PDB file of all heavy atoms in Angstrom:
ATOM      1  N   ASN B   1      -1.589  -2.259   1.038  1.00 97.00           N
ATOM      2  CA  ASN B   1      -2.345  -3.403   0.530  1.00 97.00           C
ATOM      3  C   ASN B   1      -3.034  -4.050   1.721  1.00 97.00           C
ATOM      4  O   ASN B   1      -2.448  -4.124   2.816  1.00 97.00           O
ATOM      5  CB  ASN B   1      -1.428  -4.407  -0.166  1.00 97.00           C
ATOM      6  CG  ASN B   1      -2.215  -5.468  -0.904  1.00 97.00           C
ATOM      7  OD1 ASN B   1      -3.275  -5.176  -1.445  1.00 97.00           O
ATOM      8  ND2 ASN B   1      -1.702  -6.681  -0.929  1.00 97.00           N
ATOM      9  N   TYR B   2      -4.273  -4.497   1.511  1.00 98.00           N
ATOM     10  CA  TYR B   2      -5.068  -5.051   2.592  1.00 98.00           C
ATOM     11  C   TYR B   2      -5.647  -6.410   2.215  1.00 98.00           C
ATOM     12  O   TYR B   2      -5.951  -6.670   1.048  1.00 98.00           O
ATOM     13  CB  TYR B   2      -6.231  -4.116   2.926  1.00 98.00           C
ATOM     14  CG  TYR B   2      -5.833  -2.773   3.453  1.00 98.00           C
ATOM     15  CD1 TYR B   2      -5.618  -1.693   2.605  1.00 98.00           C
ATOM     16  CD2 TYR B   2      -5.682  -2.561   4.828  1.00 98.00           C
ATOM     17  CE1 TYR B   2      -5.255  -0.451   3.082  1.00 98.00           C
ATOM     18  CE2 TYR B   2      -5.326  -1.323   5.321  1.00 98.00           C
ATOM     19  CZ  TYR B   2      -5.112  -0.270   4.457  1.00 98.00           C
ATOM     20  OH  TYR B   2      -4.756   0.959   4.941  1.00 98.00           O
ATOM     21  N   ALA B   3      -5.855  -7.220   3.232  1.00 98.00           N
ATOM     22  CA  ALA B   3      -6.628  -8.435   3.037  1.00 98.00           C
ATOM     23  C   ALA B   3      -8.079  -8.041   2.758  1.00 98.00           C
ATOM     24  O   ALA B   3      -8.576  -7.045   3.302  1.00 98.00           O
ATOM     25  CB  ALA B   3      -6.554  -9.311   4.279  1.00 98.00           C
ATOM     26  N   ASP B   4      -8.743  -8.822   1.924  1.00 97.00           N
ATOM     27  CA  ASP B   4     -10.139  -8.499   1.587  1.00 97.00           C
ATOM     28  C   ASP B   4     -11.022  -8.435   2.828  1.00 97.00           C
ATOM     29  O   ASP B   4     -11.960  -7.633   2.895  1.00 97.00           O
ATOM     30  CB  ASP B   4     -10.687  -9.548   0.621  1.00 97.00           C
ATOM     31  CG  ASP B   4     -10.101  -9.433  -0.776  1.00 97.00           C
ATOM     32  OD1 ASP B   4      -9.535  -8.363  -1.095  1.00 97.00           O
ATOM     33  OD2 ASP B   4     -10.202 -10.410  -1.535  1.00 97.00           O
ATOM     34  N   SER B   5     -10.708  -9.259   3.808  1.00 97.00           N
ATOM     35  CA  SER B   5     -11.552  -9.353   5.000  1.00 97.00           C
ATOM     36  C   SER B   5     -11.515  -8.092   5.865  1.00 97.00           C
ATOM     37  O   SER B   5     -12.391  -7.917   6.722  1.00 97.00           O
ATOM     38  CB  SER B   5     -11.133 -10.556   5.843  1.00 97.00           C
ATOM     39  OG  SER B   5      -9.780 -10.438   6.239  1.00 97.00           O
ATOM     40  N   VAL B   6     -10.520  -7.228   5.652  1.00 98.00           N
ATOM     41  CA  VAL B   6     -10.412  -6.031   6.504  1.00 98.00           C
ATOM     42  C   VAL B   6     -10.553  -4.736   5.714  1.00 98.00           C
ATOM     43  O   VAL B   6     -10.566  -3.659   6.313  1.00 98.00           O
ATOM     44  CB  VAL B   6      -9.078  -6.021   7.281  1.00 98.00           C
ATOM     45  CG1 VAL B   6      -8.909  -7.320   8.073  1.00 98.00           C
ATOM     46  CG2 VAL B   6      -7.894  -5.766   6.381  1.00 98.00           C
ATOM     47  N   LYS B   7     -10.658  -4.824   4.404  1.00 97.00           N
ATOM     48  CA  LYS B   7     -10.783  -3.614   3.584  1.00 97.00           C
ATOM     49  C   LYS B   7     -11.989  -2.802   4.007  1.00 97.00           C
ATOM     50  O   LYS B   7     -13.076  -3.332   4.218  1.00 97.00           O
ATOM     51  CB  LYS B   7     -10.903  -3.978   2.101  1.00 97.00           C
ATOM     52  CG  LYS B   7      -9.590  -4.374   1.468  1.00 97.00           C
ATOM     53  CD  LYS B   7      -9.779  -4.698  -0.006  1.00 97.00           C
ATOM     54  CE  LYS B   7      -8.455  -5.109  -0.650  1.00 97.00           C
ATOM     55  NZ  LYS B   7      -8.627  -5.500  -2.061  1.00 97.00           N
ATOM     56  N   GLY B   8     -11.782  -1.494   4.152  1.00 97.00           N
ATOM     57  CA  GLY B   8     -12.861  -0.607   4.563  1.00 97.00           C
ATOM     58  C   GLY B   8     -13.021  -0.505   6.068  1.00 97.00           C
ATOM     59  O   GLY B   8     -13.754   0.359   6.556  1.00 97.00           O
ATOM     60  N   ARG B   9     -12.365  -1.391   6.811  1.00 98.00           N
ATOM     61  CA  ARG B   9     -12.470  -1.359   8.279  1.00 98.00           C
ATOM     62  C   ARG B   9     -11.132  -1.038   8.945  1.00 98.00           C
ATOM     63  O   ARG B   9     -11.102  -0.368   9.979  1.00 98.00           O
ATOM     64  CB  ARG B   9     -12.964  -2.714   8.812  1.00 98.00           C
ATOM     65  CG  ARG B   9     -14.319  -3.116   8.291  1.00 98.00           C
ATOM     66  CD  ARG B   9     -14.836  -4.357   9.013  1.00 98.00           C
ATOM     67  NE  ARG B   9     -13.978  -5.530   8.811  1.00 98.00           N
ATOM     68  CZ  ARG B   9     -13.413  -6.222   9.804  1.00 98.00           C
ATOM     69  NH1 ARG B   9     -13.606  -5.868  11.050  1.00 98.00           N
ATOM     70  NH2 ARG B   9     -12.662  -7.281   9.528  1.00 98.00           N
ATOM     71  N   PHE B  10     -10.033  -1.514   8.362  1.00 98.00           N
ATOM     72  CA  PHE B  10      -8.703  -1.313   8.939  1.00 98.00           C
ATOM     73  C   PHE B  10      -7.915  -0.336   8.072  1.00 98.00           C
ATOM     74  O   PHE B  10      -8.058  -0.312   6.842  1.00 98.00           O
ATOM     75  CB  PHE B  10      -7.929  -2.622   9.005  1.00 98.00           C
ATOM     76  CG  PHE B  10      -8.449  -3.628   9.991  1.00 98.00           C
ATOM     77  CD1 PHE B  10      -9.671  -3.478  10.631  1.00 98.00           C
ATOM     78  CD2 PHE B  10      -7.712  -4.768  10.273  1.00 98.00           C
ATOM     79  CE1 PHE B  10     -10.144  -4.413  11.530  1.00 98.00           C
ATOM     80  CE2 PHE B  10      -8.158  -5.719  11.170  1.00 98.00           C
ATOM     81  CZ  PHE B  10      -9.382  -5.542  11.802  1.00 98.00           C
ATOM     82  N   THR B  11      -7.049   0.425   8.722  1.00 98.00           N
ATOM     83  CA  THR B  11      -6.171   1.347   8.006  1.00 98.00           C
ATOM     84  C   THR B  11      -4.758   1.232   8.560  1.00 98.00           C
ATOM     85  O   THR B  11      -4.553   1.370   9.762  1.00 98.00           O
ATOM     86  CB  THR B  11      -6.648   2.800   8.149  1.00 98.00           C
ATOM     87  OG1 THR B  11      -7.988   2.920   7.670  1.00 98.00           O
ATOM     88  CG2 THR B  11      -5.752   3.742   7.350  1.00 98.00           C
ATOM     89  N   ILE B  12      -3.807   0.999   7.666  1.00 98.00           N
ATOM     90  CA  ILE B  12      -2.408   0.946   8.060  1.00 98.00           C
ATOM     91  C   ILE B  12      -1.746   2.273   7.710  1.00 98.00           C
ATOM     92  O   ILE B  12      -2.045   2.874   6.674  1.00 98.00           O
ATOM     93  CB  ILE B  12      -1.666  -0.236   7.388  1.00 98.00           C
ATOM     94  CG1 ILE B  12      -0.272  -0.406   7.995  1.00 98.00           C
ATOM     95  CG2 ILE B  12      -1.606  -0.074   5.878  1.00 98.00           C
ATOM     96  CD1 ILE B  12       0.425  -1.695   7.553  1.00 98.00           C
ATOM     97  N   SER B  13      -0.885   2.730   8.596  1.00 96.00           N
ATOM     98  CA  SER B  13      -0.162   3.977   8.342  1.00 96.00           C
ATOM     99  C   SER B  13       1.205   3.878   9.021  1.00 96.00           C
ATOM    100  O   SER B  13       1.439   2.988   9.836  1.00 96.00           O
ATOM    101  CB  SER B  13      -0.938   5.181   8.876  1.00 96.00           C
ATOM    102  OG  SER B  13      -1.129   5.074  10.279  1.00 96.00           O
ATOM    103  N   ARG B  14       2.092   4.802   8.658  1.00 91.00           N
ATOM    104  CA  ARG B  14       3.412   4.784   9.282  1.00 91.00           C
ATOM    105  C   ARG B  14       3.886   6.202   9.527  1.00 91.00           C
ATOM    106  O   ARG B  14       3.574   7.118   8.759  1.00 91.00           O
ATOM    107  CB  ARG B  14       4.422   4.004   8.449  1.00 91.00           C
ATOM    108  CG  ARG B  14       4.721   4.538   7.065  1.00 91.00           C
ATOM    109  CD  ARG B  14       5.500   3.517   6.231  1.00 91.00           C
ATOM    110  NE  ARG B  14       6.856   3.295   6.733  1.00 91.00           N
ATOM    111  CZ  ARG B  14       7.665   2.343   6.260  1.00 91.00           C
ATOM    112  NH1 ARG B  14       7.250   1.528   5.313  1.00 91.00           N
ATOM    113  NH2 ARG B  14       8.881   2.198   6.742  1.00 91.00           N
ATOM    114  N   ASP B  15       4.602   6.361  10.617  1.00 89.00           N
ATOM    115  CA  ASP B  15       5.230   7.622  10.980  1.00 89.00           C
ATOM    116  C   ASP B  15       6.731   7.393  10.877  1.00 89.00           C
ATOM    117  O   ASP B  15       7.339   6.817  11.778  1.00 89.00           O
ATOM    118  CB  ASP B  15       4.823   8.030  12.398  1.00 89.00           C
ATOM    119  CG  ASP B  15       5.363   9.396  12.790  1.00 89.00           C
ATOM    120  OD1 ASP B  15       6.426   9.795  12.262  1.00 89.00           O
ATOM    121  OD2 ASP B  15       4.742  10.044  13.638  1.00 89.00           O
ATOM    122  N   ASN B  16       7.308   7.809   9.769  1.00 82.00           N
ATOM    123  CA  ASN B  16       8.725   7.539   9.534  1.00 82.00           C
ATOM    124  C   ASN B  16       9.613   8.252  10.550  1.00 82.00           C
ATOM    125  O   ASN B  16      10.671   7.747  10.921  1.00 82.00           O
ATOM    126  CB  ASN B  16       9.106   7.938   8.112  1.00 82.00           C
ATOM    127  CG  ASN B  16       8.494   7.019   7.076  1.00 82.00           C
ATOM    128  OD1 ASN B  16       8.289   5.837   7.321  1.00 82.00           O
ATOM    129  ND2 ASN B  16       8.187   7.563   5.906  1.00 82.00           N
ATOM    130  N   ALA B  17       9.177   9.392  11.010  1.00 84.00           N
ATOM    131  CA  ALA B  17       9.983  10.139  11.985  1.00 84.00           C
ATOM    132  C   ALA B  17      10.083   9.395  13.311  1.00 84.00           C
ATOM    133  O   ALA B  17      11.085   9.489  14.018  1.00 84.00           O
ATOM    134  CB  ALA B  17       9.389  11.527  12.194  1.00 84.00           C
ATOM    135  N   LYS B  18       9.013   8.638  13.631  1.00 84.00           N
ATOM    136  CA  LYS B  18       8.988   7.898  14.893  1.00 84.00           C
ATOM    137  C   LYS B  18       9.254   6.410  14.685  1.00 84.00           C
ATOM    138  O   LYS B  18       9.211   5.634  15.637  1.00 84.00           O
ATOM    139  CB  LYS B  18       7.639   8.087  15.584  1.00 84.00           C
ATOM    140  CG  LYS B  18       7.357   9.524  16.002  1.00 84.00           C
ATOM    141  CD  LYS B  18       6.024   9.632  16.739  1.00 84.00           C
ATOM    142  CE  LYS B  18       5.772  11.065  17.197  1.00 84.00           C
ATOM    143  NZ  LYS B  18       4.467  11.192  17.902  1.00 84.00           N
ATOM    144  N   ASN B  19       9.537   6.041  13.418  1.00 87.00           N
ATOM    145  CA  ASN B  19       9.834   4.631  13.106  1.00 87.00           C
ATOM    146  C   ASN B  19       8.738   3.707  13.621  1.00 87.00           C
ATOM    147  O   ASN B  19       9.019   2.651  14.217  1.00 87.00           O
ATOM    148  CB  ASN B  19      11.186   4.240  13.707  1.00 87.00           C
ATOM    149  CG  ASN B  19      12.293   5.165  13.273  1.00 87.00           C
ATOM    150  OD1 ASN B  19      12.402   5.511  12.095  1.00 87.00           O
ATOM    151  ND2 ASN B  19      13.103   5.611  14.221  1.00 87.00           N
ATOM    152  N   THR B  20       7.513   4.110  13.411  1.00 92.00           N
ATOM    153  CA  THR B  20       6.369   3.377  13.946  1.00 92.00           C
ATOM    154  C   THR B  20       5.337   3.155  12.852  1.00 92.00           C
ATOM    155  O   THR B  20       5.090   4.052  12.028  1.00 92.00           O
ATOM    156  CB  THR B  20       5.733   4.139  15.112  1.00 92.00           C
ATOM    157  OG1 THR B  20       6.721   4.331  16.140  1.00 92.00           O
ATOM    158  CG2 THR B  20       4.564   3.367  15.700  1.00 92.00           C
ATOM    159  N   VAL B  21       4.740   1.973  12.862  1.00 95.00           N
ATOM    160  CA  VAL B  21       3.626   1.690  11.966  1.00 95.00           C
ATOM    161  C   VAL B  21       2.395   1.414  12.816  1.00 95.00           C
ATOM    162  O   VAL B  21       2.501   0.861  13.918  1.00 95.00           O
ATOM    163  CB  VAL B  21       3.940   0.499  11.038  1.00 95.00           C
ATOM    164  CG1 VAL B  21       4.123  -0.784  11.819  1.00 95.00           C
ATOM    165  CG2 VAL B  21       2.871   0.328   9.980  1.00 95.00           C
ATOM    166  N   PHE B  22       1.262   1.854  12.326  1.00 97.00           N
ATOM    167  CA  PHE B  22       0.011   1.749  13.067  1.00 97.00           C
ATOM    168  C   PHE B  22      -1.001   0.918  12.292  1.00 97.00           C
ATOM    169  O   PHE B  22      -0.958   0.846  11.063  1.00 97.00           O
ATOM    170  CB  PHE B  22      -0.584   3.140  13.316  1.00 97.00           C
ATOM    171  CG  PHE B  22       0.347   4.087  14.011  1.00 97.00           C
ATOM    172  CD1 PHE B  22       1.087   5.006  13.284  1.00 97.00           C
ATOM    173  CD2 PHE B  22       0.477   4.060  15.386  1.00 97.00           C
ATOM    174  CE1 PHE B  22       1.950   5.884  13.918  1.00 97.00           C
ATOM    175  CE2 PHE B  22       1.329   4.939  16.034  1.00 97.00           C
ATOM    176  CZ  PHE B  22       2.075   5.847  15.298  1.00 97.00           C
ATOM    177  N   LEU B  23      -1.926   0.327  13.027  1.00 98.00           N
ATOM    178  CA  LEU B  23      -3.065  -0.345  12.409  1.00 98.00           C
ATOM    179  C   LEU B  23      -4.314   0.119  13.154  1.00 98.00           C
ATOM    180  O   LEU B  23      -4.529  -0.259  14.308  1.00 98.00           O
ATOM    181  CB  LEU B  23      -2.938  -1.863  12.484  1.00 98.00           C
ATOM    182  CG  LEU B  23      -4.041  -2.623  11.748  1.00 98.00           C
ATOM    183  CD1 LEU B  23      -3.913  -2.423  10.229  1.00 98.00           C
ATOM    184  CD2 LEU B  23      -3.988  -4.109  12.081  1.00 98.00           C
ATOM    185  N   GLN B  24      -5.089   0.962  12.500  1.00 98.00           N
ATOM    186  CA  GLN B  24      -6.359   1.401  13.064  1.00 98.00           C
ATOM    187  C   GLN B  24      -7.427   0.401  12.659  1.00 98.00           C
ATOM    188  O   GLN B  24      -7.650   0.178  11.470  1.00 98.00           O
ATOM    189  CB  GLN B  24      -6.716   2.796  12.549  1.00 98.00           C
ATOM    190  CG  GLN B  24      -8.047   3.324  13.046  1.00 98.00           C
ATOM    191  CD  GLN B  24      -8.058   3.561  14.536  1.00 98.00           C
ATOM    192  OE1 GLN B  24      -7.110   4.110  15.091  1.00 98.00           O
ATOM    193  NE2 GLN B  24      -9.128   3.153  15.206  1.00 98.00           N
ATOM    194  N   MET B  25      -8.067  -0.187  13.648  1.00 98.00           N
ATOM    195  CA  MET B  25      -9.054  -1.230  13.397  1.00 98.00           C
ATOM    196  C   MET B  25     -10.407  -0.742  13.879  1.00 98.00           C
ATOM    197  O   MET B  25     -10.594  -0.486  15.080  1.00 98.00           O
ATOM    198  CB  MET B  25      -8.657  -2.518  14.119  1.00 98.00           C
ATOM    199  CG  MET B  25      -7.259  -3.009  13.769  1.00 98.00           C
ATOM    200  SD  MET B  25      -6.859  -4.613  14.492  1.00 98.00           S
ATOM    201  CE  MET B  25      -6.861  -4.189  16.229  1.00 98.00           C
ATOM    202  N   ASN B  26     -11.343  -0.600  12.962  1.00 98.00           N
ATOM    203  CA  ASN B  26     -12.701  -0.165  13.274  1.00 98.00           C
ATOM    204  C   ASN B  26     -13.694  -1.271  12.940  1.00 98.00           C
ATOM    205  O   ASN B  26     -13.373  -2.210  12.213  1.00 98.00           O
ATOM    206  CB  ASN B  26     -13.046   1.091  12.483  1.00 98.00           C
ATOM    207  CG  ASN B  26     -12.132   2.258  12.806  1.00 98.00           C
ATOM    208  OD1 ASN B  26     -11.657   2.405  13.935  1.00 98.00           O
ATOM    209  ND2 ASN B  26     -11.869   3.107  11.818  1.00 98.00           N
ATOM    210  N   SER B  27     -14.888  -1.137  13.463  1.00 98.00           N
ATOM    211  CA  SER B  27     -15.956  -2.119  13.199  1.00 98.00           C
ATOM    212  C   SER B  27     -15.461  -3.540  13.414  1.00 98.00           C
ATOM    213  O   SER B  27     -15.684  -4.426  12.575  1.00 98.00           O
ATOM    214  CB  SER B  27     -16.470  -1.947  11.758  1.00 98.00           C
ATOM    215  OG  SER B  27     -16.951  -0.630  11.556  1.00 98.00           O
ATOM    216  N   LEU B  28     -14.826  -3.747  14.536  1.00 98.00           N
ATOM    217  CA  LEU B  28     -14.233  -5.057  14.813  1.00 98.00           C
ATOM    218  C   LEU B  28     -15.300  -6.137  14.956  1.00 98.00           C
ATOM    219  O   LEU B  28     -16.402  -5.888  15.467  1.00 98.00           O
ATOM    220  CB  LEU B  28     -13.369  -4.983  16.065  1.00 98.00           C
ATOM    221  CG  LEU B  28     -11.996  -4.326  15.828  1.00 98.00           C
ATOM    222  CD1 LEU B  28     -11.396  -3.838  17.134  1.00 98.00           C
ATOM    223  CD2 LEU B  28     -11.068  -5.303  15.128  1.00 98.00           C
ATOM    224  N   LYS B  29     -14.926  -7.328  14.502  1.00 97.00           N
ATOM    225  CA  LYS B  29     -15.818  -8.484  14.526  1.00 97.00           C
ATOM    226  C   LYS B  29     -15.160  -9.597  15.356  1.00 97.00           C
ATOM    227  O   LYS B  29     -13.933  -9.633  15.480  1.00 97.00           O
ATOM    228  CB  LYS B  29     -16.044  -9.004  13.104  1.00 97.00           C
ATOM    229  CG  LYS B  29     -16.573  -7.970  12.135  1.00 97.00           C
ATOM    230  CD  LYS B  29     -16.641  -8.550  10.728  1.00 97.00           C
ATOM    231  CE  LYS B  29     -17.144  -7.524   9.729  1.00 97.00           C
ATOM    232  NZ  LYS B  29     -17.221  -8.096   8.349  1.00 97.00           N
ATOM    233  N   PRO B  30     -15.959 -10.504  15.884  1.00 97.00           N
ATOM    234  CA  PRO B  30     -15.366 -11.616  16.647  1.00 97.00           C
ATOM    235  C   PRO B  30     -14.313 -12.386  15.844  1.00 97.00           C
ATOM    236  O   PRO B  30     -13.325 -12.862  16.420  1.00 97.00           O
ATOM    237  CB  PRO B  30     -16.578 -12.485  16.966  1.00 97.00           C
ATOM    238  CG  PRO B  30     -17.716 -11.517  17.044  1.00 97.00           C
ATOM    239  CD  PRO B  30     -17.427 -10.512  15.968  1.00 97.00           C
ATOM    240  N   GLU B  31     -14.508 -12.478  14.539  1.00 96.00           N
ATOM    241  CA  GLU B  31     -13.539 -13.204  13.718  1.00 96.00           C
ATOM    242  C   GLU B  31     -12.223 -12.457  13.540  1.00 96.00           C
ATOM    243  O   GLU B  31     -11.276 -13.001  12.953  1.00 96.00           O
ATOM    244  CB  GLU B  31     -14.129 -13.541  12.344  1.00 96.00           C
ATOM    245  CG  GLU B  31     -14.737 -12.371  11.611  1.00 96.00           C
ATOM    246  CD  GLU B  31     -16.252 -12.281  11.805  1.00 96.00           C
ATOM    247  OE1 GLU B  31     -16.730 -12.494  12.948  1.00 96.00           O
ATOM    248  OE2 GLU B  31     -16.946 -11.988  10.808  1.00 96.00           O
ATOM    249  N   ASP B  32     -12.129 -11.238  14.033  1.00 98.00           N
ATOM    250  CA  ASP B  32     -10.864 -10.515  14.033  1.00 98.00           C
ATOM    251  C   ASP B  32      -9.994 -10.905  15.229  1.00 98.00           C
ATOM    252  O   ASP B  32      -8.844 -10.467  15.331  1.00 98.00           O
ATOM    253  CB  ASP B  32     -11.099  -8.998  14.072  1.00 98.00           C
ATOM    254  CG  ASP B  32     -11.772  -8.485  12.814  1.00 98.00           C
ATOM    255  OD1 ASP B  32     -11.388  -8.913  11.711  1.00 98.00           O
ATOM    256  OD2 ASP B  32     -12.678  -7.634  12.945  1.00 98.00           O
ATOM    257  N   THR B  33     -10.553 -11.708  16.127  1.00 98.00           N
ATOM    258  CA  THR B  33      -9.785 -12.151  17.286  1.00 98.00           C
ATOM    259  C   THR B  33      -8.567 -12.952  16.856  1.00 98.00           C
ATOM    260  O   THR B  33      -8.689 -13.924  16.104  1.00 98.00           O
ATOM    261  CB  THR B  33     -10.670 -13.006  18.210  1.00 98.00           C
ATOM    262  OG1 THR B  33     -11.722 -12.189  18.740  1.00 98.00           O
ATOM    263  CG2 THR B  33      -9.859 -13.597  19.348  1.00 98.00           C
TER     264      THR B  33
END
């Protein structure tokens, strides 16, 4: 599930084997600071 402000730009994923979650952030904007 994503906030409307990041839909289409951010992708969340998880690697259960490594117990890690990722957030890929593309097309970043100053308001993402």
Side-chain angles (χ1 to χ4, degrees):
N1 190 35
Y2 296 90
D4 288 343
S5 59
V6 306
K7 283 181 180 177
R9 300 188 298 123
F10 291 11
T11 302
I12 189 170
S13 61
R14 62 192 292 172
D15 185 332
N16 290 329
K18 296 183 178 179
N19 306 315
T20 301
V21 64
F22 305 98
L23 185 68
Q24 178 66 44
M25 305 186 294
N26 299 327
S27 302
L28 283 160
K29 304 175 181 181
E31 51 264 42
D32 294 317
T33 295

